[in-house]
Amino acid sequence: MKALILNSGTGSRMASLTSERPKCMTEISARETILSRQLKAVSEAGITEVVMTTGAFDSMLISYCNSLELPLHITYVKNPFYERTNYIYSIYCAKEYLKNEDIILMHGDLVFENMVFDEVFASEMSCMTVSSTLDLPEKDFKAVVRNGKVEKVGIEFFDDAMAAQPLYKLLKDDWNKWLDAIVAYCESDDEAKKKCYAENALNELNGAANITALDLHDLFCAEVDDPDDLAAVSSKLRDIEARKVYMCFSTDMIHSGHITIIRKAARLGKLIVGVLSDEAVCSYKRFPLLPFSERKAMFENISGVYSVVEQKELSYRENLEKYRPDYVVHGDDWLEGFQRPIRDEVVSVLEGYGGSLVEFPYSSDDIYEELEKRARAEMSMPFMRRARLKKAIAMKGTISAIEAHSGLTGLIAENTVVYQNGAARQFDAMWISSLCDSTAKGKPDIELVDMTSRLRTVDDIMEVTTKPVIFDGDTGGLTEHFVYTVRTLERMGVSMIIIEDKTGLKKNSLFGTDVQQTQASIPDFCEKIRAGKKAQKTADFMICARIESLILEQGMEDALERAFAFTDAGADAIMIHSRKKEPAEIFEFVEEFRKRDKVTPIVVVPTSFNTVTEEEFRERGVNVVIYANQLTRSGFPAMQNAAKMILEHHRAKECDDICMSFKDIIRLIPEE
């Protein structure tokens, strides 16, 4: 594709402004001329070949274009009779450079906002810019439009006409027809045909050039014919440049598609980039590789970005109401799918104050996909995974974990996402429960499964997932053994171990006082915590003390006394447990604990008091919610039901409806 810019006119109506230079070099702002703005638009579109017709001051014009240092190859064609011919003859002089080419054609005194050029360039058909909202001018171009096609162009047409500007995109087959008509005009014996508009030759084709009317509505596109036009154009450009444009990003890895859409957005006005908060990113996709401060700095250093602000939620509403941008820019990938409600909200807010949504085709990037794969691989490494639980708690305030007892259930915990109202919800961590691990192996939950087997389960899960792991350490065993467990788990990349303050043969807490269970003394358990903390090598690993006082009906005071003693001994978190169906005693403990300690994370396992939402826990000061056995409890009845159906019907067909296809199961399993 080539751009054809017609600069052979004398610009006589500009008075002294064109007495010593071409009109196209007239300044329209402190940093732009008409021509520099045009050439920049051409260059940014990726066009490299320009044909420019010249007349007076052609040497000055060539020197000026060279001084712009744009990546353009410009062929200059001087119209030797520029004073007594019109631009139709200038095109004729340049015909050898224009045949069999797709062409962007514009007059050299035309000023347009960037979106106008973008729409022309993106058109898949030959087109001319028109406006159905502007009044018809008396002396300027109008286009006769029927069935969306331009049939005639000239100053004399008023019926079935729209205001028009000489900015065209012409596909080569359509352009060749018009160019042939121009050549025929200029090679005729009628001298008047060299002095008319090129559109006169176009009109004789009676629509055969197949030019579509590209309706710009209120987008700005105007010629500068006289000083009054210049003043109006300069004023309009100041308004355009003052427009605010808003985009939002969650990424921590910039690829070429991001840069492309940023450049397009920056062409619309002052670009404000909203960067999603760490909490929002953590909920929406994956744990961010870079914290908010670094992601913000990354966008601040991209050319074309005016300012960078925090967007706290996936919803744009707060920032749109605060900054009231004229445009919101987004890829078209949210027209369908879980982001559609967010888009609908954006449209609604913009309509409330007259803003507009601009959507560009979404572009993926193979390099970005490869980087994402590498990022996920890196997140699975022990040093990255281990630290993420603390960071996630700091980012979100309250995080959720679900039990996993095998590689496959780990993949379910890793990949399950629910989309609600434009937001994504997923689990932040995995809980490796001794109860579920024992149950999966058909063993009672009495610490019968040895640590070597337990660690093998951890390894199976961590091999195929990236999310943080919380390990159920039962009582922790002997203090001398516990220190080695801490070192092993820390080295593997586990984020937290939870140990309960009981001694002797461990019995599941669900039994409560129905079986003989003995709590460890406060000094002994504190010593175990201190030994574990001393054994660990990093500050990332967490030891959580699980308090059984409410389970064993020892009362609230005992629970609180233990909690404060355990945190003094170095516990990184406190888990309070209850087997009552009502959450009252859990809430009371949290309230009393928070009066003295507002920092130490509190962990709950709402197996019995399961009516409480994560939002309610968060409001009260709970930081980790563990769904400790739901996958095991739901999985085994389903398997048992399938087995019964096969026995009852003497075949497997009847249980097909309750079985997931292996094709879908395999999709859960990573290829690498």
Side-chain angles (χ1 to χ4, degrees), residues 11 92 309 342 360 366 640:
Y92 173 74
V309 299
I342 298 177
F360 293 113
D366 291 340
Q640 189 176 55

Side-chain angles (χ1 to χ4, degrees), residues 194-205:
K194 298 185 178 92
K195 299 177 182 180
C196 67
Y197 299 125
E199 281 73 12
N200 287 38
L202 175 67
N203 293 341
E204 294 206 1
L205 296 175

Side-chain angles (χ1 to χ4, degrees), residues 57-162:
F57 311 112
D58 56 321
S59 297
M60 181 186 296
L61 180 59
I62 293 170
S63 295
Y64 175 70
C65 291
N66 290 337
S67 73
L68 297 175
E69 296 184 339
L70 293 169
L72 297 171
H73 178 265
I74 304 177
T75 300
Y76 302 93
V77 180
K78 185 172 181 176
N79 177 353
F81 309 113
Y82 66 87
E83 290 182 299
R84 54 187 175 87
T85 60
N86 209 329
Y87 61 85
I88 187 171
Y89 195 75
S90 298
I91 296 174
Y92 173 74
C93 293
K95 62 183 181 300
E96 63 181 287
Y97 303 106
L98 303 172
K99 193 75 172 175
N100 296 318
E101 297 278 358
D102 293 341
I103 295 290
I104 296 283
L105 187 158
M106 70 185 79
H107 285 200
D109 59 359
L110 194 65
V111 180
F112 40 78
E113 62 177 288
N114 290 321
M115 193 183 296
V116 169
F117 190 86
D118 292 342
E119 290 200 17
V120 171
F121 182 73
S123 175
E124 295 181 356
M125 298 176 287
S126 296
C127 64
M128 179 187 192
T129 53
V130 302
S131 173
S132 60
T133 59
L134 294 180
D135 294 334
L136 293 179
E138 285 294 324
K139 298 181 180 180
D140 292 325
F141 271 168
K142 295 168 283 290
V144 176
V145 179
R146 294 189 178 96
N147 299 318
K149 299 292 185 180
V150 173
E151 293 191 358
K152 305 283 184 183
V153 178
I155 62 174
E156 68 273 26
F157 302 112
F158 286 90
D159 295 335
D160 297 321
M162 294 185 186

